[in-house]
Amino acid sequence: MEDLIETPARLLAKVRFRQIRCFVDVSRQGSFMAASGALGLTQPAVPRSIRELETTLEVTLFDGSQRDAVLTVHGRKLFDVAEAALLLTEGMHATLGPDASHELLRIGAPPNVCGLTVPAIGAIPDRLKAE
């Protein structure tokens, strides 16, 4: 029966960094549109991330009756913690240096295609550096 109950640690493990970043930026900017511009995301991506975060945490973070992005009681409680987590993560990236921002890209392809495409894909970073 314990497996059916979400513990805070299990709940937080489902939260994605992008959702926290979107939440903090919408809170700071006061609008979803401004946050999407600041984050370099499409406008639909930001509210979608917020909805996913609200669903995961099972709370409403922004007052839907307001034109601007106004935090609810739960949103105000989460903001300080989320902002601190964001600052901590940015500090870790700054400490580790520019190489820490590289992310792994996994590409799946059938074996008969791999021989043709994988070498070409592998050459892309070299071409980008040359430009």
Side-chain angles (χ1 to χ4, degrees):
M1 187 70 170
E2 286 182 35
D3 292 338
L4 300 176
I5 299 171
E6 288 281 353
T7 62
R10 282 186 186 168
L11 197 63
L12 290 176
K14 295 178 181 180
V15 174
R16 294 191 172 103
F17 182 73
R18 178 179 178 169
Q19 294 168 337
I20 296 295
R21 181 175 290 285
C22 286
F23 170 72
V24 169
D25 270 39
V26 170
S27 301
R28 286 177 181 164
Q29 301 283 340
S31 89
F32 289 88
M33 183 182 286
S36 67
L39 292 167
L41 298 172
T42 62
Q43 192 174 354
V46 174
R48 182 174 44 246
S49 288
I50 299 298
R51 279 193 306 275
E52 291 169 355
L53 181 60
E54 289 176 329
T55 300
T56 300
L57 299 177
E58 300 178 351
V59 295
T60 302
L61 300 171
F62 292 96
D63 185 349
S65 68
Q66 302 293 320
R67 185 175 184 272
D68 296 328
V70 177
L71 291 170
T72 63
V73 172
H74 293 297
R76 286 191 299 275
K77 288 180 181 178
L78 180 63
F79 179 76
D80 290 334
V81 175
E83 187 176 46
L86 186 62
L87 291 172
L88 180 63
T89 305
E90 289 170 350
M92 287 189 307
H93 283 288
T95 300
L96 295 173
D99 292 336
S101 64
H102 291 20
E103 294 189 26
L104 178 64
L105 172 64
R106 295 180 194 262
I107 300 173
N112 60 340
V113 176
C114 286
L116 301 171
T117 57
V118 172
I121 292 171
I124 291 174
D126 295 330
R127 281 190 244 148
L128 291 174
K129 287 179 186 175
E131 292 178 1

